[in-house]
Amino acid sequence: MPFVDRQGILANIEALRGGRTVVCLFNFDRQCSPPIPGVATKFQSDIKEALFRVLKESTQSHQGIDLCLYTRGGDVDAVWPIVSLLREFDKNFEVLVPFRCHSGGTLVALGAKKIILTPIPPCQ
């Protein structure tokens, strides 16, 4: 999907959520070959620095933060620093879970004020 299309979708979500800033944190399901720095398949503590930059640049005038989270899990020790960082920018941040949110991602969601889940798609 082109970047412009993704921007439009995120703008629509922000409008539906009352002007809250949507920050996406997605992990891939498969390894890249060759590996690409910063592209991970697991939830890790090294995303804290990148997340800080995104939050600092995108939340200047916001109504709140919505973290859109898709992960298969990862390092549970990375959770507390990331939740603490999110709370520095918005004590009442909320998590949007479009599909999967395993392990460390589940713990991040539990650190939020509110969790918004999508319905589970039917098995085919």
Side-chain angles (χ1 to χ4, degrees):
M1 177 181 295
F3 179 71
V4 175
D5 292 344
R6 289 192 305 268
Q7 277 185 314
I9 291 169
L10 290 175
N12 288 342
I13 293 171
E14 287 178 345
L16 289 170
R17 299 280 302 146
R20 297 174 61 86
T21 300
V22 176
V23 176
C24 294
L25 180 56
F26 293 164
N27 293 133
F28 291 103
D29 287 330
R30 298 181 187 155
Q31 291 284 353
C32 296
S33 183
I36 301 170
V39 176
T41 57
K42 294 183 181 177
F43 195 80
Q44 301 172 352
S45 61
D46 63 354
I47 62 166
K48 185 179 175 190
E49 183 179 329
L51 182 60
F52 173 75
R53 286 193 311 260
V54 168
L55 291 169
K56 188 175 176 185
E57 293 173 7
S58 63
T59 60
Q60 299 302 326
S61 59
H62 69 283
Q63 303 296 321
I65 295 173
D66 285 338
L67 179 68
C68 188
L69 185 59
Y70 175 93
T71 183
R72 289 292 208 148
D75 185 8
V76 294
D77 292 330
V79 171
W80 182 248
I82 290 168
V83 170
S84 295
L85 174 64
L86 287 161
R87 286 184 179 167
E88 283 181 34
F89 285 88
D90 181 9
K91 291 188 187 304
N92 297 314
F93 79 95
E94 298 179 6
V95 173
L96 309 175
V97 180
F99 188 50
R100 291 187 173 114
C101 187
H102 300 168
S103 183
T106 301
L107 295 175
V108 169
L110 290 173
K113 176 76 172 183
K114 189 175 187 181
I115 304 169
I116 294 92
L117 304 168
T118 58
I120 297 174
C123 296
Q124 296 184 16

